[in-house]
Structures are given as C-alpha cells and as structure tokens.
Amino acid sequence: MKETNYLKGTLVAALIILLAALIENAILSNIVYLPAVPDICLICVIFISLQNGKLFGEGEGFFSGLCLDFLGACPFGLNCLYRTVIGYLAGIFHRVIGTDGIFTPVLLALVGSFVKALLLFVISILFPMVRLDFSPFTKIFLWELAENAVLAPIIFKLLNLFRKYIDIRAEAAS
C-alpha cells in the first residue's frame, strides 16, 4: 500500500511539473506583453518539496529542470542543477512551514526566486564559458520576482486541491 501511494504521488507530481513546464514555455514565454516569464515550475517544486521532504523535492526539482532543459534553449543540465538544489533546500522545511494563507506562499516564492538568482550567479562564476542571459541586477529579474510573488498564492491554492494526491504519506497519516 505504501509503494502504491509513493508511486501515485510521484506520478501526480511529475504530471503537475510537466504541465507547469509546458504552460511556462509554450504559452507564457510567447506573451509579448510580459516583461519576464514567471517561474511556475519553481513554485510547484517548492510546494511539492514542502509536502514530501528533501529526497522527493530534489527528485522533482531535477525532473522540472529536465523538462525545462528539453523545452528551452539553455545549456543542458543548467536547470537540473539549480532546481535540484532548490528542491532539496525547500524539502528541509518539510512539514515545518505551512502552505496555507497568502503571505507564506509569497515569501516562499520570493526566497525561492532569490535562491535561484544566487545559484545562477554562482554557476556563471564557476562556469565562465556558459553564457547566461540571467542577472539578478536587472529589471527583468524584478519583474519575474513580482510575477512569482503574485502567482504563488494562486498556485499554492490550486495545488492544495491536489494535496492528497501529491502527499506520499497521506494514507499513512490518515
């Protein structure tokens, strides 16, 4: 029973991440009026990591990076690297930070976006041959930060509807 719950949670989380990656790359990146593309996958990874812990968070972070690497035009493995770290860091706070309300998701999205910017900055220093068009010192980053903060409570509320399918320990707790 525990294995089926784990498999079900993994598949539902993977489908959510894949859908978020498709929305992010196929729809939102083609809207001309958006100054920056909100990072829906990052918000989903943070939510899923907070529900299921470090190991599950880093796995879903890696999967979201893999989806974005296949769909995007960045160097292969870049998204996998920093999203795995973000999934692990968010999973550290498994069942410690609540995902309800408005302020907490906004704060989590802001912190996640800053960690993303910091990790990309460190990666650009460690690998100078890789050209990144992302800088934490631009207006585009501020727009992405604002868009992530606005969308985080909405995405968290939407993902709360699927919480019992995402949570791999839901049947054991009830």
Side-chain angles (χ1 to χ4, degrees), residues 54-106:
K54 299 180 284 195
L55 183 63
F56 199 85
E58 68 186 21
E60 288 300 319
F62 181 81
F63 180 71
S64 75
L66 198 62
C67 290
L68 290 173
D69 282 342
F70 278 123
L71 294 172
C74 69
F76 191 72
L78 176 68
N79 284 313
C80 293
L81 179 61
Y82 75 83
R83 288 175 188 277
T84 301
V85 173
I86 291 173
Y88 180 82
L89 292 175
I92 290 173
F93 300 103
H94 166 61
R95 304 226 189 250
V96 174
I97 298 177
T99 56
D100 298 331
I102 294 174
F103 180 72
T104 305
V106 168

Side-chain angles (χ1 to χ4, degrees), residues 19 26 32 34 58 82 87 99 107 115 117 129 140 143 157 163:
L19 181 65
V32 178
L34 278 179
E58 68 186 21
Y82 75 83
T99 56
L107 185 64
V115 169
M129 298 302 288
I140 293 174
W143 274 106
K157 289 289 184 195
R163 178 183 248 163

